[in-house]
Amino acid sequence: MAEVKLVDVSKIYEEKNKAVSSFSLEIKDKEFVVLVGPSGCGKSTTLRMIAGLEDISEGEIFIDGRKVNNVPPKDRDIAMVFQNYALYPHMSVYENMAFGLKLRKFSKSEINERVSYAAKILDIEYLLERKPKQLSGGQRQRVAVGRAIVRKPKVFLFDEPLSNLDAKLRVQMRSEIARLHKRLQTTIVYVTHDQVEAMTMGDRIVVMKEGIVQQVDTPLNLYNHPKNKFVAGFIGSPAMNFVEGKIVSEDGLKFVSSQGTLTFQLNPKQSEILSSYRDKKITVGIRPESFSAETKYESSVKTKLEFEEQMGNEVYLHFNVDGKSCIARMHPDVQYKIGDEINVGFNNFAVLFFDNAAGERIC
Amino acid sequence: MKKSLVIFIAVFVGVITFLPFLWMISASVMPSGAANTFPPRIFPNKFDFSHYTTLFTRLNLTKYLLNSMIISFGVTLFSLLLNSMAGYAFAKFRFAKKKGLFKFLLSSLIIPAQVTMLPLFLILKNLGLINTYWAIFIPGMASIFGIFLIRQYAFSIPDSLIEAAKMDGATEMQIYLRVILPLCKPILVTLGLFTFMGTWNDFLWPLIVMTDANMYTMPVALANLMSEHVQDTELMMAGSVITIIPVLVVFLALQKYYIKGIMMGSVKG
Ligand SMILES: Nc1ncnc2c1ncn2[C@@H]1O[C@H](COP(=O)(O)OP(=O)(O)O)[C@@H](O)[C@H]1O
Ligand SMILES: [Mg+2]
C-alpha cells in the first residue's frame, strides 16, 4: 500500500550533537524493514521522524510519494506500537481500539466490525470489556497491535514492541507479528536492539551506530558479507571473534596474530587482495560457528580451554587467543575438559579481514 | 493495650472536635434564648425550627445562598479548566522559557494575598466589575498552587500516551479533553474540593468587592446578621448550619475520589 522514502534525514536535538545523520533509505511497499543497533544509536528518533512525532532537522521524508516533513502525525496515515504499549488506562480494550476510528468519524457499525475483526485475528475477543490494568503484558501487547491495525494504515511502526515481554512470549509474539505482516500486507518499520529479532523478522535490516547507517541488507547478506567490523560483531550470536595481527610473507602470505597464538596461511584469493597489506596491522574476524573440533581444516589454533557453556544442542567453548577471550560454537558431544590443551580447526575461507583503522571489511 | 489507648485518644479528640459542631446544630433548633441559659445544655428540650423559617423569609437568605453557590461553582469550574490546561502545558509541552516562566510563577507564591488585594480591587473597579460575580471569578480563575498540583500529577502521565493519541488522530484539544482530563480526575476532584471550600468559606474578598447587599455571599451575610442580632444566638447557629451544609454535601459526595487523589499524589509525587 505504501512506500516510505527517507532522503538524507538528520536529527539534531542539541547543537552539534546529531542523533541521526544523513539517513537515506527506500522502503518498498509491503516490505518489513528492521532498524537495529545498540541503545542510543538513533533508531527511535528515526522512527519518530517517520511518525511525525519529532521534527525533521534536515532532509526529506516521503510516504507514497508525498513529502510529509510538515504533515502532522494524524494526517500521515501511519500507526505506531510503542514499547510501553501506551494503552489509555481509562478506556476498555474495545474503546482503546475504537478511539482512533471514533476520532476519524467512522460509523458505529464500521467501528464494531473492524474492532471485532482485529480482536479475532489477535485472539483477544474475550478481553474487549477489560481495562488495560487487568491485562497481562502479552495481552496488552496484542491490544496495542490491535489498536494499530483497526485503522488499516499505510505503514506500521513498531518501537521495540517486545522488549517488555519475557523471553518465551517474545519468541511467540515475534512469529505472530511476522505472520500478521504476511496477512495484512502492509509496510512495516520495526525498531529493535535485538539482532536475533532483526534477523528473524526483517526482509531487510538497517544496522545503525551512533546515528549513522552502517549497512542496509538482507539478513543473510549481513551475516555473510558485513561491510565493517561493527556490523560483523553486531550480527550473530555469540558475536564474531576478532584477533589483531599482521600479514607477513612466509611461503606465500600468512596471518600472524600480535602475540603469535593464531597463525594461518592465506588462501589464494585472500593473498591476492591482501598483498598490499603486507606487514601492516590488520584484524581478522572468525565466527564461533566457523570453528570445528574435526581436523579436516588446515588452519587451527592451539590453546587452552578456559570454560564451556553447554546448551544441550550445542556447546560454547571459551579459550584464549593473544590474551583475549574467544568463543567457538561446537557440537555438544565434543569431549574436552577445562584446562585441556585443545586444537580448534577453522575454515580459513570463512575468515573475514578488516582494515585496522577504519574497520572496513577488506575481504 | 496500646491499640485501645490509641482508639481512646482518637475517640476523645473526635468527641471534642465534634462537640461545637453538635452544639451548633442543636442550638439552631432551640427556642429563642434557650441557648444562653446557665448551665448550658447540649440538647434542646424543645425543638423549634422557626429560626430557619425566619432566615429564609424575613432575612432573605435564599439570595445569599444562591450568590454563594454561583460564585463557588463558577470559581471552581473556571479554575479547574484553566489550571488543568496550564498544568498540563507546563508538564508536557515544549515551549521557549518554560522553566523560567514556571519559576517566576512559583516565586509569586511568596507574596501574601493581602498585599495584592488593594491593587486588584482598584483594577476591578476601573473595569466596572465591582459588585458583579466577575469580581470573584476573575481573581480565582488561575491559582499557582493549582497549576503546580496538576503539573506534578501530569508528569506521571507517560509521553507515549499523548503520542499514541496523536497517532490515533486526536487534535491537541481532543488529547486534553479525552485523554488528559480523564486521567487527571483524582487530582481534579481534590483541587476542585479545595477550591470550592475555599471560595465558599472566603470572607474577606467578597466583603471587599461585594458592597451591594444584594451581592453578599453567605459568610458576609452571616457576619452582617451577627452585628444586627447579637443576642440571637439560635438564629446565628441556624445560619451557620445552612452555610456548612453545601460544603459538607460536596465533600461527602467526592470523598472517595478525594482520598484517592491524595494517595496518588503521595505515591507519584
Ligand atoms: N528528546 C531528546 N532530547 C535530546 N536528546 C535526545 C532526545 N531523544 C533522544 N535523544 C538522544 O538521541 C540519541 C538517539 O536516541 P534514540 O533515537 O532514542 O536511540 P535508540 O532508540 O536507538 O536507543 C541518544 O543519544 C539520545 O540521548
Ligand atoms: Mg529507542
Side-chain angles (χ1 to χ4, degrees):
Chain A
M1 275 190 284
E3 299 134 22
V4 179
K5 194 162 108 182
L6 295 95
V7 184
D8 276 329
V9 173
S10 298
K11 178 70 190 181
I12 300 155
Y13 280 116
E14 279 128 41
E15 275 153 56
K16 295 172 278 186
N17 238 339
K18 274 198 176 180
V20 176
S21 340
S22 297
F23 189 114
S24 290
L25 180 67
E26 268 187 57
I27 300 167
K28 294 191 281 287
D29 186 25
K30 296 178 190 149
E31 195 176 17
F32 196 131
V33 166
V34 179
L35 308 186
V36 72
S39 171
C41 70
K43 309 176 296 282
S44 297
T45 304
T46 309
L47 199 72
R48 291 163 57 81
M49 284 193 285
I50 300 175
L53 296 171
E54 214 67 71
D55 291 333
I56 300 161
S57 310
E58 286 163 14
E60 292 170 317
I61 294 181
F62 298 88
I63 296 173
D64 245 359
R66 177 170 74 133
K67 183 172 164 183
V68 294
N69 282 40
N70 296 315
V71 177
K74 69 188 178 72
D75 300 325
R76 293 191 185 193
D77 204 3
I78 275 182
M80 182 157 166
V81 176
F82 295 84
Q83 179 171 1
N84 62 0
Y85 319 129
L87 300 178
Y88 311 117
H90 57 297
M91 297 184 196
S92 69
V93 167
Y94 183 94
E95 289 165 331
N96 261 285
M97 305 216 298
F99 188 61
L101 299 174
K102 270 189 201 149
L103 292 175
R104 288 182 159 81
K105 304 256 187 305
F106 279 83
S107 73
K108 269 228 165 67
S109 58
E110 174 81 17
I111 293 178
N112 212 347
E113 200 173 297
R114 287 194 183 198
V115 173
S116 312
Y117 177 71
K120 203 169 142 209
I121 325 187
L122 292 164
D123 206 15
I124 50 172
E125 283 159 305
Y126 65 108
L127 300 174
L128 287 176
E129 300 306 318
R130 292 207 202 159
K131 290 275 173 66
K133 66 164 181 276
Q134 299 166 298
L135 304 178
S136 69
Q139 292 169 333
R140 284 180 205 185
Q141 181 60 67
R142 280 162 200 272
V143 176
V145 173
R147 185 172 62 181
I149 65 179
V150 289
R151 281 190 10 234
K152 300 185 182 163
K154 284 183 183 158
V155 184
F156 282 113
L157 307 178
F158 289 88
D159 192 353
E160 312 224 11
L162 307 184
S163 55
N164 286 350
L165 300 179
D166 63 62
K168 202 170 158 197
L169 209 50
R170 206 177 307 157
V171 174
Q172 184 192 338
M173 281 307 286
R174 207 159 74 192
S175 57
E176 239 171 86
I177 291 177
R179 210 172 315 140
L180 203 63
H181 173 240
K182 290 236 161 56
R183 180 164 189 166
L184 299 173
Q185 300 274 313
T186 35
T187 313
I188 292 186
V189 186
Y190 187 106
V191 161
T192 178
H193 64 265
D194 179 357
Q195 58 93 17
V196 178
E197 236 170 71
M199 292 294 277
T200 51
M201 299 176 85
D203 294 328
R204 272 196 304 160
I205 298 174
V206 180
V207 183
M208 297 177 71
K209 181 194 168 196
E210 290 165 12
I212 298 166
V213 174
Q214 305 293 309
Q215 189 171 358
V216 182
D217 225 322
T218 60
L220 213 55
N221 275 345
L222 283 182
Y223 181 83
N224 289 325
H225 311 288
K227 272 207 178 123
N228 56 36
K229 209 174 135 186
F230 176 79
V231 176
F234 193 78
I235 301 292
S237 170
M240 182 180 269
N241 302 299
F242 294 107
V243 179
E244 279 186 31
K246 60 181 177 189
I247 305 288
V248 295
S249 48
E250 202 183 298
D251 326 323
L253 291 185
K254 211 172 171 185
F255 173 82
V256 180
S257 69
S258 322
Q259 293 171 27
T261 321
L262 180 81
T263 62
F264 63 91
Q265 204 75 37
L266 302 190
N267 67 38
K269 191 171 153 243
Q270 290 164 343
S271 305
E272 194 183 319
I273 299 171
L274 291 166
S275 56
S276 59
Y277 280 83
R278 196 170 306 165
D279 295 325
K280 276 191 194 152
K281 286 212 164 157
I282 201 166
T283 300
V284 296
I286 308 174
R287 290 209 182 271
E289 47 274 32
S290 302
F291 288 109
S292 165
E294 292 162 36
T295 44
K296 64 180 177 189
Y297 299 119
E298 291 170 17
S299 313
S300 67
V301 49
K302 272 200 191 56
T303 174
K304 211 162 79 177
L305 182 65
E306 290 184 327
F307 69 97
E308 58 172 38
E309 292 174 277
Q310 183 58 258
M311 298 285 156
N313 61 340
E314 58 196 15
V315 62
Y316 299 157
L317 304 180
H318 291 249
F319 53 86
N320 208 311
V321 173
D322 280 9
K324 270 177 63 186
S325 185
C326 285
I327 301 179
R329 184 175 171 177
M330 290 189 187
H331 195 269
D333 292 345
V334 295
Q335 299 286 337
Y336 291 132
K337 279 199 222 44
I338 292 168
D340 275 1
E341 281 291 331
I342 58 170
N343 196 11
V344 279
F346 58 92
N347 180 354
N348 69 359
F349 281 89
V351 176
L352 303 178
F353 293 81
F354 299 95
D355 185 284
N356 232 16
E360 296 293 309
R361 185 165 66 94
I362 307 159
C363 71
Chain B
M1 188 58 215
K2 222 174 187 179
K3 199 175 168 195
S4 57
L5 188 72
V6 170
I7 292 176
F8 175 75
I9 293 175
V11 168
F12 184 72
V13 172
V15 168
I16 297 275
T17 318
F18 191 64
L19 217 54
F21 195 74
L22 181 73
W23 189 78
M24 172 184 78
I25 295 172
S26 77
S28 76
V29 292
M30 288 179 189
S32 288
N36 292 341
T37 51
F38 190 85
R41 52 176 101 229
I42 292 184
F43 297 104
N45 48 1
K46 211 175 99 207
F47 287 92
D48 180 353
F49 292 95
S50 64
H51 310 297
Y52 287 95
T53 1
T54 312
L55 285 174
F56 282 103
T57 51
R58 193 163 57 81
L59 297 175
N60 218 349
L61 214 63
T62 324
K63 194 169 63 190
Y64 307 129
L65 204 57
L66 205 65
N67 281 343
S68 269
M69 290 274 188
I70 293 173
I71 286 172
S72 301
F73 275 109
V75 168
T76 306
L77 289 183
F78 277 128
S79 76
L80 282 188
L81 186 73
L82 291 180
N83 289 338
S84 63
M85 283 185 172
Y88 165 47
F90 273 117
K92 292 295 179 188
F93 279 64
R94 292 185 215 166
F95 55 89
K97 304 272 177 288
K98 179 165 95 168
K99 283 212 174 112
L101 188 60
F102 193 72
K103 274 187 194 147
F104 174 71
L105 286 182
L106 273 191
S107 63
S108 70
L109 271 180
I110 58 166
I111 302 172
Q114 286 77 359
V115 173
T116 60
M117 278 182 175
L118 186 61
L120 200 54
F121 175 81
L122 293 176
I123 293 170
L124 290 168
K125 190 172 166 231
N126 286 329
L127 290 171
L129 294 176
I130 296 303
N131 282 321
T132 68
Y133 293 132
W134 293 104
I136 297 182
F137 286 162
I138 293 176
M141 273 183 182
S143 85
I144 311 295
F145 178 68
I147 293 174
F148 179 75
L149 212 59
I150 290 184
R151 171 178 172 267
Q152 291 310 102
Y153 194 82
F155 275 138
S156 67
I157 299 174
D159 286 342
S160 59
L161 223 51
I162 296 164
E163 288 168 352
K166 272 186 198 161
M167 301 298 296
D168 263 341
T171 59
E172 289 295 351
M173 199 62 191
Q174 283 168 326
I175 294 174
Y176 165 72
L177 290 175
R178 303 181 66 165
V179 179
I180 301 301
L181 280 190
L183 290 179
C184 285
K185 197 161 101 189
I187 199 69
L188 290 176
V189 171
T190 308
L191 183 61
L193 208 58
F194 279 145
T195 313
F196 186 87
M197 295 203 290
T199 316
W200 185 276
N201 294 331
D202 192 14
F203 174 70
L204 193 54
W205 186 245
L207 182 71
I208 295 174
V209 292
M210 300 303 197
T211 51
D212 178 352
N214 279 322
M215 297 301 290
Y216 282 174
T217 59
M218 281 298 283
V220 177
L222 212 60
N224 237 24
L225 275 188
M226 229 176 297
S227 50
E228 288 170 31
H229 306 257
V230 202
Q231 295 89 355
D232 205 343
T233 316
E234 297 79 15
L235 186 68
M236 297 315 324
M237 288 307 121
S240 306
V241 169
I242 304 271
T243 313
I244 279 177
I245 283 175
V247 189
L248 213 60
V249 168
V250 170
F251 183 84
L252 290 178
L254 298 180
Q255 181 176 264
K256 195 176 85 190
Y257 302 101
Y258 168 68
I259 289 168
K260 203 162 131 199
I262 286 187
M263 305 270 274
M264 281 195 158
S266 71
V267 173
K268 292 187 178 162

